[in-house]
Each structure stands twice: as C-alpha cells, then as structure tokens.
Amino acid sequence: MIELTLREIPNFPPPWSYVCAQRPEDRRGRLAARQAFVSLKLCFTRAAAEARGAASEELRRLVRQACEPIELWLLRAPLLAALPDDIDQVEQHRLAIEQAMRQVYPDKMRGV
C-alpha cells in the first residue's frame, strides 16, 4: 500500500483555500481594484456603443474582450476618435473615462 501525505496529492491545497486564508484587507483591495476595472470597462462600453465608422464594430469587440485596464487605455484614442462630432458627447465620454482611469490608477493619473 502506498501512503501519501497531503502535500504529495496533486492540487493540494485547492485553489479556493488560498482566498480563504488571505487577510481581509488583501481581499478588500482586490475587490476594490476589480470594481474600479468594471467601472472603467462600463465607461468604455458606453462610449463604444456610440462609435461610428468602419472600425466601430472592431472597437466594440476589443472593449468587450479587454481583461486589463491597460488594454482599455490603449483603446482610448481610437475610441474617442470614432465618436460622432457632437462635441458635448465626446467631452462627456472623455471625462467619464478619465475619471474611471483615476480610480484604477490613482497615483499615475495626476497630470493627465
């Protein structure tokens, strides 16, 4: 008979146990970061819904597929350029995106 210790069993401890073992402040920080990303992605999604032109469908697809804030940041300029010429609408989306970016990167966005 083969005797195994718990450490020799593959995938032990299970991945969910790490989440349970972490400190509450770490979990709160991760949750706050996730909420900030979701808010940012919603801003981009709203703006992409109003985009016009040949690249508008591709922009919407790229926004939907984004998993990291930097992916959305890279889409910022093409997305704002694809919005209609209605100055108020473009400015509204730009301000919403900048405010959401400040939530994701509070230290990096001071001069932007």
Side-chain angles (χ1 to χ4, degrees):
M1 175 176 237
I2 299 174
E3 291 185 31
L4 293 174
T5 64
L6 290 177
R7 298 216 183 271
E8 295 168 329
I9 297 174
N11 297 325
F12 187 86
W16 55 263
S17 67
Y18 293 116
V19 174
C20 297
Q22 292 175 348
R23 296 179 297 184
E25 57 271 8
D26 293 342
R27 285 181 287 201
R28 281 192 296 269
R30 278 195 327 279
L31 182 60
R34 182 67 183 161
Q35 287 172 336
F37 173 71
V38 169
S39 175
L40 178 66
K41 194 165 182 176
L42 284 172
C43 288
F44 273 83
T45 302
R46 287 182 196 115
E50 297 184 27
R52 303 289 180 256
S56 62
E57 193 58 41
E58 180 69 10
L59 283 169
R60 284 190 276 278
R61 185 183 67 76
L62 290 171
V63 168
R64 279 193 309 270
Q65 290 179 343
C67 297
E68 297 289 329
I70 190 68
E71 293 173 298
L72 294 173
W73 176 254
L74 293 172
L75 292 173
R76 180 179 170 264
L79 179 62
L80 292 176
L83 290 176
D85 292 336
D86 182 2
I87 301 297
D88 296 334
Q89 200 76 9
V90 172
E91 187 65 19
Q92 232 176 9
H93 286 298
R94 186 186 65 74
L95 290 173
I97 287 170
E98 284 181 11
Q99 184 178 18
M101 274 292 181
R102 283 190 182 95
Q103 294 294 320
V104 174
Y105 296 115
D107 297 335
K108 308 277 187 219
M109 299 296 294
R110 290 188 185 185
V112 176

